[in-house]
Amino acid sequence: MPRTIIVSPSMLSADFRCLEAEIHRLHETGCEYIHFDSMDGHFTEQVTYGPMVAAALRPLSDRIFDCHLMFTNPEKHFEHFARAGADVIHFQYEVTDRHAEYVRRIHDLGCRASIVVNPDTPIESVAPLLPECDVVMIMGVFPGYSGQEFIPETVERIAHLREMIDAGGHSTKIEVDGGVNEDTAADVIRAGADILVSGSFLFKHPQGYGAAVEFLRRTAAAV
Ligand code: DX5
Ligand code: ZN
């Protein structure tokens, strides 16, 4: 059945000398979301940026701000991201056992809540949380850098989560982050992804950002 997907370009691959121009270029592609990858240098190797980038760009954009917190202590920062204009706040499953509480706290701040599962975290771990969370984001790579190679087992994990969501009658969306490109997008969509994060594929596409988004949409329509 033809599918429609949401594209969430990852600002980690943007040109940081001209973020305002990058946002305008992304708007022209018709993408629905903008993905912000915040890394704390503790949960991940590298440090990127905090909520200030989303805050600076918020007045320039009407898109959904999709904020991925790769933090050991994400709860200390939920409020800062909400104030910066985040619409979706993602936190990593691996950093806490207080998932339901974190989801509630994100909802209380007026944002959508997402739990992110790393490639080595069993997908069943999120089963009890599906009634609560708006999104589960499956990593196709280990968090840390853009441009990494997609881990092929991710496809089965997406399909498994799709089954769990459908069997339980939940409305949770499946987002996939890391390694989505022309070689992997069809399998990822066919397995049941609703939202695709796209970093290096989109920002380095030889025909421009619009061609990358167009490719992902055409792929979805064809599966
Ligand atoms: C990985 C980040 C991703 C990444 C995506 O740590 O969370 O959002 O930047 O980049 P690509 O699409 O290049 O894998
Ligand atoms: Zn991300």
PDB file of all heavy atoms in Angstrom, residues 18 48 55 65 67 83 86 117 142 159 175 220:
ATOM      1  N   CYS A  18      25.825  29.339   8.465  1.00  0.00           N
ATOM      2  CA  CYS A  18      24.658  30.066   7.943  1.00  0.00           C
ATOM      3  C   CYS A  18      23.368  29.291   8.236  1.00  0.00           C
ATOM      4  O   CYS A  18      22.686  28.839   7.317  1.00  0.00           O
ATOM      5  CB  CYS A  18      24.807  30.315   6.450  1.00  0.00           C
ATOM      6  SG  CYS A  18      25.199  28.828   5.519  1.00  0.00           S
ATOM      7  N   THR A  48      27.733  18.472  21.026  1.00  0.00           N
ATOM      8  CA  THR A  48      27.244  19.301  19.914  1.00  0.00           C
ATOM      9  C   THR A  48      26.717  20.624  20.461  1.00  0.00           C
ATOM     10  O   THR A  48      27.501  21.514  20.777  1.00  0.00           O
ATOM     11  CB  THR A  48      26.214  18.553  19.054  1.00  0.00           C
ATOM     12  OG1 THR A  48      25.134  18.125  19.882  1.00  0.00           O
ATOM     13  CG2 THR A  48      26.851  17.376  18.332  1.00  0.00           C
ATOM     14  N   ALA A  55      16.264  27.580  19.910  1.00  0.00           N
ATOM     15  CA  ALA A  55      15.680  28.866  20.344  1.00  0.00           C
ATOM     16  C   ALA A  55      15.957  29.964  19.321  1.00  0.00           C
ATOM     17  O   ALA A  55      15.075  30.768  18.999  1.00  0.00           O
ATOM     18  CB  ALA A  55      16.243  29.251  21.707  1.00  0.00           C
ATOM     19  N   PHE A  65       9.718  21.195  15.655  1.00  0.00           N
ATOM     20  CA  PHE A  65      11.101  21.085  16.142  1.00  0.00           C
ATOM     21  C   PHE A  65      11.237  19.787  16.949  1.00  0.00           C
ATOM     22  O   PHE A  65      10.603  19.600  17.991  1.00  0.00           O
ATOM     23  CB  PHE A  65      11.480  22.306  16.984  1.00  0.00           C
ATOM     24  CG  PHE A  65      11.981  23.478  16.158  1.00  0.00           C
ATOM     25  CD1 PHE A  65      11.749  23.555  14.786  1.00  0.00           C
ATOM     26  CD2 PHE A  65      12.703  24.514  16.761  1.00  0.00           C
ATOM     27  CE1 PHE A  65      12.215  24.634  14.016  1.00  0.00           C
ATOM     28  CE2 PHE A  65      13.181  25.598  16.008  1.00  0.00           C
ATOM     29  CZ  PHE A  65      12.941  25.657  14.641  1.00  0.00           C
ATOM     30  N   CYS A  67      13.533  17.482  18.887  1.00  0.00           N
ATOM     31  CA  CYS A  67      14.783  17.640  19.635  1.00  0.00           C
ATOM     32  C   CYS A  67      15.220  16.330  20.284  1.00  0.00           C
ATOM     33  O   CYS A  67      14.534  15.803  21.171  1.00  0.00           O
ATOM     34  CB  CYS A  67      14.619  18.736  20.686  1.00  0.00           C
ATOM     35  SG  CYS A  67      14.312  20.346  19.924  1.00  0.00           S
ATOM     36  N   ARG A  83      11.143  25.511  26.513  1.00  0.00           N
ATOM     37  CA  ARG A  83      11.181  26.985  26.402  1.00  0.00           C
ATOM     38  C   ARG A  83      11.814  27.443  25.093  1.00  0.00           C
ATOM     39  O   ARG A  83      11.486  28.494  24.563  1.00  0.00           O
ATOM     40  CB  ARG A  83      11.937  27.586  27.577  1.00  0.00           C
ATOM     41  CG  ARG A  83      11.038  27.823  28.762  1.00  0.00           C
ATOM     42  CD  ARG A  83      11.583  28.974  29.619  1.00  0.00           C
ATOM     43  NE  ARG A  83      11.603  28.531  30.990  1.00  0.00           N
ATOM     44  CZ  ARG A  83      12.659  28.446  31.759  1.00  0.00           C
ATOM     45  NH1 ARG A  83      13.842  28.833  31.319  1.00  0.00           N
ATOM     46  NH2 ARG A  83      12.568  28.006  32.977  1.00  0.00           N
ATOM     47  N   ALA A  86      10.818  23.527  21.489  1.00  0.00           N
ATOM     48  CA  ALA A  86      10.727  22.131  21.046  1.00  0.00           C
ATOM     49  C   ALA A  86       9.268  21.704  20.971  1.00  0.00           C
ATOM     50  O   ALA A  86       8.466  22.067  21.838  1.00  0.00           O
ATOM     51  CB  ALA A  86      11.469  21.221  22.026  1.00  0.00           C
ATOM     52  N   VAL A 117      15.531   4.227  21.223  1.00  0.00           N
ATOM     53  CA  VAL A 117      16.188   2.960  21.539  1.00  0.00           C
ATOM     54  C   VAL A 117      17.432   2.770  20.674  1.00  0.00           C
ATOM     55  O   VAL A 117      17.383   2.840  19.451  1.00  0.00           O
ATOM     56  CB  VAL A 117      15.234   1.741  21.396  1.00  0.00           C
ATOM     57  CG1 VAL A 117      14.331   1.610  22.596  1.00  0.00           C
ATOM     58  CG2 VAL A 117      14.413   1.787  20.127  1.00  0.00           C
ATOM     59  N   PHE A 142      24.690   3.795  16.179  1.00  0.00           N
ATOM     60  CA  PHE A 142      24.888   4.208  17.572  1.00  0.00           C
ATOM     61  C   PHE A 142      25.020   5.731  17.607  1.00  0.00           C
ATOM     62  O   PHE A 142      25.726   6.308  16.755  1.00  0.00           O
ATOM     63  CB  PHE A 142      26.116   3.521  18.179  1.00  0.00           C
ATOM     64  CG  PHE A 142      25.819   2.109  18.585  1.00  0.00           C
ATOM     65  CD1 PHE A 142      26.053   1.055  17.714  1.00  0.00           C
ATOM     66  CD2 PHE A 142      25.234   1.846  19.822  1.00  0.00           C
ATOM     67  CE1 PHE A 142      25.725  -0.247  18.079  1.00  0.00           C
ATOM     68  CE2 PHE A 142      24.904   0.550  20.191  1.00  0.00           C
ATOM     69  CZ  PHE A 142      25.157  -0.495  19.317  1.00  0.00           C
ATOM     70  N   ALA A 159      10.147  -3.520  12.114  1.00  0.00           N
ATOM     71  CA  ALA A 159       8.983  -4.374  11.820  1.00  0.00           C
ATOM     72  C   ALA A 159       8.387  -4.929  13.113  1.00  0.00           C
ATOM     73  O   ALA A 159       7.156  -4.989  13.275  1.00  0.00           O
ATOM     74  CB  ALA A 159       9.387  -5.500  10.884  1.00  0.00           C
ATOM     75  N   GLU A 175       9.791   6.560  14.506  1.00  0.00           N
ATOM     76  CA  GLU A 175      10.760   7.424  13.845  1.00  0.00           C
ATOM     77  C   GLU A 175      12.067   6.633  13.733  1.00  0.00           C
ATOM     78  O   GLU A 175      12.404   5.860  14.634  1.00  0.00           O
ATOM     79  CB  GLU A 175      10.946   8.703  14.675  1.00  0.00           C
ATOM     80  CG  GLU A 175      11.841   9.745  14.039  1.00  0.00           C
ATOM     81  CD  GLU A 175      11.591  11.153  14.629  1.00  0.00           C
ATOM     82  OE1 GLU A 175      10.561  11.366  15.304  1.00  0.00           O
ATOM     83  OE2 GLU A 175      12.443  12.032  14.395  1.00  0.00           O
ATOM     84  N   ALA A 220       8.441   6.149  -0.464  1.00  0.00           N
ATOM     85  CA  ALA A 220       7.300   5.766   0.374  1.00  0.00           C
ATOM     86  C   ALA A 220       6.077   5.464  -0.483  1.00  0.00           C
ATOM     87  O   ALA A 220       5.348   4.496  -0.230  1.00  0.00           O
ATOM     88  CB  ALA A 220       6.992   6.890   1.363  1.00  0.00           C
TER      89      ALA A 220
END
